[in-house]
Amino acid sequence: MEYVISDTHFFHEQLLGVDQFAPRPYQTVEEMDKVMVEAWNARVKENDTVYHLGDIAVNYQNHQPERVANEQIATLLSQLNGHLVLIKGNHDRRSLFKYLATHNPILGKRAKYEFHDIGKLIKYDHHQLYLTHYPMMMGIAPKIINLHGHIHHYMVPTTTNLNVGVDAPELDYLTPRPPFGTPLSLPEVMEMMAKKVAVVNQSNGMV
């Protein structure tokens, strides 16, 4: 199975609490991270693939050495099931990707981590899914859907973009809404997109 997720922001103390940008009603980062790890592993199996669309973790605000921060992130990621295809977000340091590349265990016949700076294009259900951290303006592209993160609790009001971050408002299109930190299956992505298209078209007076 293949899944997508974005903006986990493991270790990010500044996101704790309730605000309009990225509400995370947890008392500690340990509690927040535990919730996300458990939600991830409840769904993802060892041989599955998860496309992580950036902003994996933010743990350098206390000015600890990069090596220590990278080791901390690697230890947490080692707890997550599956193969991780990592697309660089604005909070992801290049040194982290280099560290993971040199500490990249083999699961079965594949490495646990794969890395992309800008994005990755995959195909599913007669569509092309362009996976990026930042939302992209695709123009007239009826068979291309941009899956992205970055904007947390906000939504791009178009029929070609879908926010798949853990804070995304589009998650409300799923019933029930998945537990916080759950990677989304590609069938769920298409369900969310179909419902978003209907809502956007209605608001634009097209139906």
Side-chain angles (χ1 to χ4, degrees), residues 131-144:
L131 314 179
T132 62
H133 179 64
Y134 303 99
M136 308 290 287
M137 296 298 101
M138 305 304 296
I140 301 174
K143 291 294 183 180
I144 298 181

Side-chain angles (χ1 to χ4, degrees), residues 58-112:
V58 178
N59 65 336
Y60 48 82
Q61 61 267 28
N62 295 326
H63 306 292
Q64 60 183 331
E66 282 193 17
R67 177 186 57 79
V68 174
N70 292 340
E71 288 175 354
Q72 188 179 29
I73 296 172
T75 297
L76 188 145
L77 294 183
S78 70
Q79 301 173 40
L80 300 176
N81 290 343
H83 300 271
L84 279 63
V85 179
L86 304 177
I87 294 168
K88 189 175 182 297
N90 56 297
H91 285 290
D92 298 321
R93 295 170 302 194
R94 191 165 302 282
S95 69
L96 171 63
F97 278 26
K98 289 182 178 178
Y99 182 88
L100 294 175
T102 57
H103 300 79
N104 197 354
I106 301 299
L107 304 180
K109 296 183 179 180
R110 294 173 55 195
K112 184 172 181 67

Side-chain angles (χ1 to χ4, degrees), residues 138-153:
M138 305 304 296
I140 301 174
K143 291 294 183 180
I144 298 181
I145 299 171
N146 175 218
L147 306 185
H148 66 86
H150 185 60
I151 57 176
H152 290 267
H153 202 57

